[in-house]
């Protein structure tokens, strides 16, 4: 175990200080976050690997849908107006599924934030993931925090120039890969990759790569924390999602104050001392450039790297972890009340410990039941309800649809034998990637017969046609009814279609028009 004075004190100052706010248009002060190690950092590595793997590899996954549909697992086929997601195929008129998923994402974000604060921002947000990736490259080339600070202040030399060019070149390669991966979601990935390399791809592909390359390089490499602070609206919205039972990264000053690097001298002088040795480790690792000891701040993304840094120092000093920890406001207030004797004195850490130095049993600690509260259940219920409705709709949706348009002019035609004929445009929508034989019939119109243009069969009450896979088939259909059977100037009847090889069917109610003299 080390003494407080043996713990390295880092010369780290909060760039985004809660005590001294910078003007909105002040020049950016660069942040040089020190590499952290610990359980939260390891979790961030895992999340980064999973999310980047999903983003870069998903377009290359294959999914066999038969010979009449693309075999890319996830594909936004804008040319044919389809969205393929493994076994699910979404048509333009089914966009409500996408809207439902966006609603689930929004409610899910509310659920996560109200429970564990800005966990999305700290671990899975694309800005956070790519900034972490760019920092990995920066540390590998320029070194950790102190080396990067020295390099920044050093005059331009051949070494500095090589390091900077190398770093930015790799950043650009990552940015190009990011833009390139995005376009593969909109066309067959292997084919598009060859076309892009050969220079024969559509201009929009190159424009998309250029735009995403520029934004990824700028946001992830140059702007970093400024995107979260000034461009993202969520820091300003999240306050409405939090309550006294939400977990947030918290500096527990009820045990950390008063901070001192010379605890032995303070104790000898009869002064209380807290566990914080003012080493600034929490400030040095923060990618947002804040001091968590100033309390909750707009810039904090709750990445918890300050927890790892502080826990490492506490381990060296032989003290309990958790000086900086995930905590709820209600627990923090209860412990602060204990440490200040109900608010009557300054923070005195001896009030939260027993005579043998252990924490008092009256201290409030986080319990899992704090998560399961009414607000959580409301969000979870809303999220689950949307998901169940979408799932039910997906499992029960029809893959065969029918639409009929009556001719507007003429409304009817009187034939030589006195019978009346109406014309219709019948649209059969086959929404599965395989051909189907469809029987078309009419019901509710006595004595009526029909025939379709291009189908060489005698007029009757039904006929069959082949619907191509994943296509809309348009038929020109004429319905004829003898004048003796006509009972009014307009009568409704039903077009019905049925898949001869399956159980799916669809109906459409149409109108048969006739002249008044035919009654």
């Amino acid at each position: 175990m080390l003494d407080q004075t043996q713990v390295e004190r880092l010369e780290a100052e909060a760039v985004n200080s809660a005590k001294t706010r910078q003007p909105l248009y002040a020049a950016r002060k660069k942040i040089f976050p020190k590499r952290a190690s610990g359980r939260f950092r390891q979790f961030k590595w895992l999340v980064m690997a999973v999310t980047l793997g999903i983003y870069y590899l998903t377009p290359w996954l294959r999914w066999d849908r038969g010979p009449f549909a693309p075999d890319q697992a996830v594909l936004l086929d804008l040319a044919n107006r389809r969205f393929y997601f493994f076994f699910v195929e979404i048509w333009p008129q089914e966009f409500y599924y996408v809207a439902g998923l966006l609603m689930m994402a929004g409610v899910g974000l509310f659920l996560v934030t109200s429970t564990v604060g800005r966990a999305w921002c700290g671990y899975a947000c694309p800005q956070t993931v790519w900034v972490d990736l760019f920092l990995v490259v920066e540390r590998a080339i320029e070194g950790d925090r102190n080396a990067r600070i020295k390099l920044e202040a050093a005059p331009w030399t051949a070494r500095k120039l090589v390091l900077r060019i190398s770093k930015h070149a790799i950043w650009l390669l990552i940015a190009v890969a990011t833009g390139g991966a995005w376009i593969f979601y909109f066309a067959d990935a292997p084919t598009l990759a060859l076309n892009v390399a050969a220079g024969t791809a559509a201009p929009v592909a190159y424009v998309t790569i250029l735009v995403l390359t520029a934004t990824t390089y700028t946001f992830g490499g140059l702007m970093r924390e400024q995107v979260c602070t000034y461009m993202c609206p969520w820091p300003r919205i999240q306050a409405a999602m939090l309550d006294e039972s939400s977990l947030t990264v918290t500096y527990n000053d009820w045990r950390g104050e008063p901070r001192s690097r010379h605890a032995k001298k303070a104790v000898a002088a009869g002064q209380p001392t807290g566990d914080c040795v003012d080493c600034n480790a929490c400030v040095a690792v923060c990618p947002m450039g804040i001091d968590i000891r100033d309390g909750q701040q707009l810039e904090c993304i709750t990445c918890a790297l300050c927890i790892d840094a502080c826990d490492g120092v506490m381990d060296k000093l032989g003290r309990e972890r958790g000086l900086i920890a995930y905590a709820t406001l209600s627990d923090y207030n209860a412990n602060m009340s204990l440490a200040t004797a109900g608010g009557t004195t300054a923070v005195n850490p001896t009030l939260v410990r027993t005579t043998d130095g252990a924490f008092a049993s009256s201290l409030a600690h986080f319990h899992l039941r704090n998560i399961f509260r009414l607000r959580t259940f409301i969000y979870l219920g809303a999220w689950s309800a949307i998901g169940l409705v979408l799932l039910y709709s997906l499992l029960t949706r029809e893959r065969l649809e029918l639409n009929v348009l009556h001719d507007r002019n003429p409304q009817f035609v009187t034939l030589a034998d006195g019978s009346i004929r109406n014309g219709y445009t019948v649209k059969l929508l086959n929404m599965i990637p395989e051909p189907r034989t469809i029987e078309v019939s009419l019901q509710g119109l006595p004595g009526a017969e029909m025939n379709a243009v291009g189908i060489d069969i005698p007029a009757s009450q039904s006929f069959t046609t082949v619907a191509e896979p994943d296509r809309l088939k348009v038929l020109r259909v004429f319905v004829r009814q003898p004048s003796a059977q006509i009972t009014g100037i307009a009568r409704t009847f039903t077009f019905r279609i049925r898949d001869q090889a399956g159980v799916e069917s669809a109906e459409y109610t149409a109108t048969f028009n006739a002249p008044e003299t035919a009654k």
Side-chain angles (χ1 to χ4, degrees):
M1 291 185 294
L2 301 180
D3 183 73
Q4 287 93 330
T5 56
Q6 294 176 293
V7 175
E8 179 187 7
R9 188 177 193 277
L10 301 172
E11 295 302 323
E13 180 182 357
V15 172
N16 296 310
S17 175
K19 296 178 180 178
T20 307
R21 285 288 176 184
Q22 295 292 324
L24 180 61
Y25 297 103
R28 175 179 181 248
K29 294 182 180 179
K30 288 188 177 181
I31 299 172
F32 302 91
K34 179 180 174 62
R35 178 169 182 170
S37 60
R39 64 187 189 277
F40 290 106
R41 178 64 268 184
Q42 291 175 353
F43 182 64
K44 280 175 67 67
W45 289 133
L46 176 62
V47 173
M48 184 175 74
V50 171
T51 52
L52 289 176
I54 291 173
Y55 177 75
Y56 287 117
L57 298 179
T58 296
W60 302 94
L61 299 178
R62 302 293 100 183
W63 188 270
D64 185 14
R65 300 185 181 90
F68 302 102
D71 64 349
Q72 186 162 309
V74 179
L75 177 63
L76 295 166
D77 189 358
L78 297 182
N80 295 305
R81 299 179 182 178
R82 304 286 188 280
F83 173 36
Y84 297 97
F85 185 82
F86 294 94
F87 63 90
V88 178
E89 179 184 357
I90 303 297
W91 285 62
Q93 64 269 30
E94 297 176 318
F95 188 79
Y96 52 82
Y97 287 112
V98 178
L101 290 176
L102 292 176
M103 291 174 61
M104 288 186 68
V107 175
L109 185 59
F110 296 162
L111 171 63
V112 171
T113 303
S114 67
T115 305
V116 290
R118 291 177 65 182
W120 162 259
C121 300
Y123 300 99
C125 174
Q127 174 67 14
T128 297
V129 171
W130 263 273
V131 167
D132 269 357
L133 181 59
F134 278 38
L135 280 173
V136 169
V137 175
E138 187 172 87
R139 291 192 187 102
I141 295 175
E142 298 182 353
D144 206 359
R145 182 175 184 273
N146 290 340
R148 300 203 305 277
I149 292 176
K150 290 179 181 179
L151 184 66
E152 179 72 19
W156 282 97
T157 62
R159 176 180 177 274
K160 181 174 181 177
L161 185 62
V162 169
L163 292 178
R164 287 296 168 87
I165 291 177
S166 300
K167 178 182 72 173
H168 287 276
I170 297 177
W171 282 359
L172 282 172
L173 287 176
I174 295 173
V176 170
T178 302
W182 179 252
I183 66 172
F184 294 147
Y185 284 88
F186 296 87
D188 182 65
T191 304
L192 182 56
L194 293 175
N195 292 340
V196 169
T200 58
V204 67
Y206 297 103
V207 172
T208 302
I209 292 175
L210 180 62
V211 171
L212 290 181
T213 296
T215 53
T216 303
Y217 173 78
T218 302
F219 293 166
L222 305 180
M223 296 182 65
R224 292 183 180 174
E225 78 288 345
Q226 290 185 305
V227 174
C228 303
T229 303
Y230 299 112
M231 297 178 63
C232 180
W234 190 243
R236 293 156 181 84
I237 298 174
Q238 63 155 340
M241 300 294 107
L242 300 176
D243 57 27
E244 64 278 357
S245 297
S246 301
L247 277 174
T248 57
V249 175
T250 305
Y251 168 62
N252 294 312
D253 47 1
W254 49 265
R255 62 167 279 196
E257 299 294 325
R259 64 189 77 162
S260 173
R261 291 185 56 79
H262 304 281
K264 291 183 179 180
K265 293 181 180 179
V267 171
Q271 300 173 352
T273 59
D275 288 344
C276 180
V277 296
D278 203 20
C279 63
N280 287 335
C282 55
V283 181
V285 301
C286 181
M288 299 300 295
I290 68 169
D291 188 342
I292 191 63
R293 294 172 296 180
D294 292 338
Q296 278 295 311
Q297 297 157 65
L298 175 147
E299 294 84 1
C300 180
I301 60 173
T302 65
C303 63
L305 295 182
C306 53
I307 297 179
D308 283 339
C310 188
D311 283 349
V313 174
M314 292 297 105
D315 289 343
K316 293 177 182 178
L317 295 174
R319 298 179 183 176
E320 302 91 340
R321 291 185 169 193
L323 177 57
I324 301 176
Y326 272 103
T328 65
L329 179 61
S330 58
D331 290 343
Y332 171 83
N333 287 337
N335 293 336
M336 274 297 290
S337 177
L338 184 63
T340 58
T344 59
T345 66
V347 174
N348 185 351
T350 60
L351 297 177
V352 298
R353 293 185 182 271
T354 59
T355 55
D356 60 357
F359 283 124
S361 59
S362 55
L363 279 175
H365 299 282
F366 171 75
H367 194 278
L368 195 60
R369 64 173 175 270
N370 292 355
I371 292 180
F372 300 103
R373 57 192 191 278
L374 179 60
R375 186 173 190 171
T376 304
F377 285 120
I378 291 174
Y379 285 138
L380 183 60
W383 184 86
S384 301
I386 297 172
L388 290 174
V389 169
L390 290 178
L391 181 61
Y392 175 78
S393 176
L394 188 66
L395 295 176
T396 59
R397 63 180 179 166
E398 295 289 340
R399 300 285 79 197
L400 184 64
E401 291 188 3
L402 170 66
N403 189 42
V404 179
L405 297 176
H406 193 290
D407 286 354
R408 298 184 62 184
N409 189 24
Q411 292 283 316
F412 57 85
V413 173
T414 302
L415 302 180
D417 61 355
S419 61
I420 305 300
R421 187 184 73 184
N422 282 205
Y424 303 87
T425 299
V426 177
K427 298 180 179 181
L428 312 178
L429 184 58
N430 178 18
M431 302 173 69
I432 63 174
E434 59 184 54
R436 295 203 276 189
T437 301
I438 304 298
E439 180 187 33
V440 182
S441 60
L442 59 83
Q443 300 172 354
L445 201 60
E449 295 178 333
M450 64 178 172
N451 62 287
V453 176
I455 300 179
D456 190 17
I457 58 173
S460 63
Q461 288 198 333
S462 66
F463 63 88
T464 60
T465 184
V466 176
E468 297 179 354
D470 258 342
R471 289 291 183 270
L472 174 69
K473 188 178 185 67
V474 180
L475 297 173
R476 184 82 175 120
V477 176
F478 294 102
V479 177
R480 180 179 63 85
Q481 186 179 29
S483 59
Q485 299 290 335
I486 295 176
T487 59
I489 60 174
R491 180 169 180 175
T492 59
F493 68 101
T494 301
F495 277 105
R496 185 174 187 273
I497 60 175
R498 180 179 65 87
D499 181 4
Q500 286 193 330
V503 297
E504 284 191 287
S505 63
E507 294 182 350
Y508 191 94
T509 301
T511 302
F512 187 87
N513 295 325
E516 292 186 18
T517 56
K519 291 190 291 183

mmCIF file of all heavy atoms in Angstrom, residues 193-209:
data_model
loop_
_atom_site.group_PDB
_atom_site.id
_atom_site.type_symbol
_atom_site.label_atom_id
_atom_site.label_comp_id
_atom_site.label_asym_id
_atom_site.label_seq_id
_atom_site.Cartn_x
_atom_site.Cartn_y
_atom_site.Cartn_z
ATOM 1 N N ALA A 193 -18.762 -3.426 -54.044
ATOM 2 C CA ALA A 193 -17.350 -3.226 -53.711
ATOM 3 C C ALA A 193 -16.479 -3.297 -54.965
ATOM 4 O O ALA A 193 -15.561 -2.480 -55.154
ATOM 5 C CB ALA A 193 -16.902 -4.270 -52.693
ATOM 6 N N LEU A 194 -16.755 -4.268 -55.842
ATOM 7 C CA LEU A 194 -15.998 -4.379 -57.091
ATOM 8 C C LEU A 194 -16.245 -3.175 -57.991
ATOM 9 O O LEU A 194 -15.311 -2.647 -58.621
ATOM 10 C CB LEU A 194 -16.386 -5.670 -57.811
ATOM 11 C CG LEU A 194 -15.984 -6.986 -57.119
ATOM 12 C CD1 LEU A 194 -16.533 -8.183 -57.888
ATOM 13 C CD2 LEU A 194 -14.462 -7.087 -57.000
ATOM 14 N N ASN A 195 -17.495 -2.715 -58.043
ATOM 15 C CA ASN A 195 -17.818 -1.558 -58.880
ATOM 16 C C ASN A 195 -17.145 -0.288 -58.366
ATOM 17 O O ASN A 195 -16.659 0.529 -59.148
ATOM 18 C CB ASN A 195 -19.330 -1.362 -58.954
ATOM 19 C CG ASN A 195 -20.024 -2.472 -59.715
ATOM 20 O OD1 ASN A 195 -19.407 -3.186 -60.498
ATOM 21 N ND2 ASN A 195 -21.319 -2.642 -59.470
ATOM 22 N N VAL A 196 -17.140 -0.127 -57.044
ATOM 23 C CA VAL A 196 -16.483 1.054 -56.462
ATOM 24 C C VAL A 196 -14.988 1.033 -56.763
ATOM 25 O O VAL A 196 -14.389 2.047 -57.143
ATOM 26 C CB VAL A 196 -16.735 1.114 -54.943
ATOM 27 C CG1 VAL A 196 -15.846 2.174 -54.290
ATOM 28 C CG2 VAL A 196 -18.198 1.421 -54.656
ATOM 29 N N ALA A 197 -14.368 -0.136 -56.612
ATOM 30 C CA ALA A 197 -12.936 -0.250 -56.877
ATOM 31 C C ALA A 197 -12.619 -0.015 -58.347
ATOM 32 O O ALA A 197 -11.564 0.556 -58.682
ATOM 33 C CB ALA A 197 -12.439 -1.622 -56.436
ATOM 34 N N ALA A 198 -13.531 -0.431 -59.230
ATOM 35 C CA ALA A 198 -13.300 -0.275 -60.667
ATOM 36 C C ALA A 198 -13.704 1.107 -61.175
ATOM 37 O O ALA A 198 -13.442 1.437 -62.339
ATOM 38 C CB ALA A 198 -14.064 -1.350 -61.431
ATOM 39 N N GLY A 199 -14.358 1.902 -60.315
ATOM 40 C CA GLY A 199 -14.775 3.232 -60.728
ATOM 41 C C GLY A 199 -16.041 3.256 -61.551
ATOM 42 O O GLY A 199 -16.338 4.250 -62.217
ATOM 43 N N THR A 200 -16.817 2.161 -61.508
ATOM 44 C CA THR A 200 -18.040 2.066 -62.316
ATOM 45 C C THR A 200 -19.314 2.167 -61.483
ATOM 46 O O THR A 200 -20.409 1.975 -62.016
ATOM 47 C CB THR A 200 -18.042 0.736 -63.096
ATOM 48 O OG1 THR A 200 -17.951 -0.364 -62.165
ATOM 49 C CG2 THR A 200 -16.881 0.670 -64.067
ATOM 50 N N ALA A 201 -19.186 2.426 -60.204
ATOM 51 C CA ALA A 201 -20.375 2.540 -59.349
ATOM 52 C C ALA A 201 -21.113 3.843 -59.650
ATOM 53 O O ALA A 201 -20.577 4.759 -60.291
ATOM 54 C CB ALA A 201 -19.971 2.482 -57.878
ATOM 55 N N ALA A 202 -22.342 3.929 -59.193
ATOM 56 C CA ALA A 202 -23.142 5.137 -59.398
ATOM 57 C C ALA A 202 -22.511 6.319 -58.669
ATOM 58 O O ALA A 202 -21.893 6.149 -57.608
ATOM 59 C CB ALA A 202 -24.566 4.910 -58.885
ATOM 60 N N PRO A 203 -22.639 7.528 -59.215
ATOM 61 C CA PRO A 203 -22.037 8.708 -58.570
ATOM 62 C C PRO A 203 -22.482 8.900 -57.119
ATOM 63 O O PRO A 203 -21.713 9.357 -56.285
ATOM 64 C CB PRO A 203 -22.499 9.867 -59.455
ATOM 65 C CG PRO A 203 -22.732 9.247 -60.792
ATOM 66 C CD PRO A 203 -23.241 7.870 -60.512
ATOM 67 N N VAL A 204 -23.746 8.521 -56.818
ATOM 68 C CA VAL A 204 -24.238 8.711 -55.456
ATOM 69 C C VAL A 204 -23.433 7.888 -54.453
ATOM 70 O O VAL A 204 -23.291 8.282 -53.287
ATOM 71 C CB VAL A 204 -25.740 8.357 -55.380
ATOM 72 C CG1 VAL A 204 -25.961 6.862 -55.606
ATOM 73 C CG2 VAL A 204 -26.334 8.783 -54.047
ATOM 74 N N ALA A 205 -22.877 6.760 -54.891
ATOM 75 C CA ALA A 205 -22.069 5.937 -53.990
ATOM 76 C C ALA A 205 -20.803 6.686 -53.578
ATOM 77 O O ALA A 205 -20.427 6.710 -52.403
ATOM 78 C CB ALA A 205 -21.711 4.613 -54.656
ATOM 79 N N TYR A 206 -20.155 7.308 -54.546
ATOM 80 C CA TYR A 206 -18.924 8.044 -54.242
ATOM 81 C C TYR A 206 -19.207 9.299 -53.416
ATOM 82 O O TYR A 206 -18.436 9.651 -52.529
ATOM 83 C CB TYR A 206 -18.205 8.411 -55.545
ATOM 84 C CG TYR A 206 -17.755 7.214 -56.348
ATOM 85 C CD1 TYR A 206 -18.461 6.804 -57.475
ATOM 86 C CD2 TYR A 206 -16.645 6.471 -55.967
ATOM 87 C CE1 TYR A 206 -18.074 5.697 -58.205
ATOM 88 C CE2 TYR A 206 -16.244 5.358 -56.692
ATOM 89 C CZ TYR A 206 -16.968 4.976 -57.812
ATOM 90 O OH TYR A 206 -16.574 3.881 -58.524
ATOM 91 N N VAL A 207 -20.325 9.947 -53.705
ATOM 92 C CA VAL A 207 -20.694 11.135 -52.922
ATOM 93 C C VAL A 207 -20.977 10.742 -51.471
ATOM 94 O O VAL A 207 -20.551 11.437 -50.530
ATOM 95 C CB VAL A 207 -21.920 11.827 -53.551
ATOM 96 C CG1 VAL A 207 -22.418 12.943 -52.637
ATOM 97 C CG2 VAL A 207 -21.568 12.386 -54.923
ATOM 98 N N THR A 208 -21.680 9.628 -51.278
ATOM 99 C CA THR A 208 -21.980 9.166 -49.921
ATOM 100 C C THR A 208 -20.705 8.829 -49.159
ATOM 101 O O THR A 208 -20.548 9.205 -47.989
ATOM 102 C CB THR A 208 -22.893 7.933 -49.968
ATOM 103 O OG1 THR A 208 -24.097 8.260 -50.659
ATOM 104 C CG2 THR A 208 -23.238 7.460 -48.564
ATOM 105 N N ILE A 209 -19.781 8.133 -49.813
ATOM 106 C CA ILE A 209 -18.511 7.809 -49.162
ATOM 107 C C ILE A 209 -17.768 9.084 -48.785
ATOM 108 O O ILE A 209 -17.218 9.208 -47.676
ATOM 109 C CB ILE A 209 -17.651 6.932 -50.090
ATOM 110 C CG1 ILE A 209 -18.287 5.564 -50.269
ATOM 111 C CG2 ILE A 209 -16.240 6.773 -49.518
ATOM 112 C CD1 ILE A 209 -17.563 4.675 -51.261
#
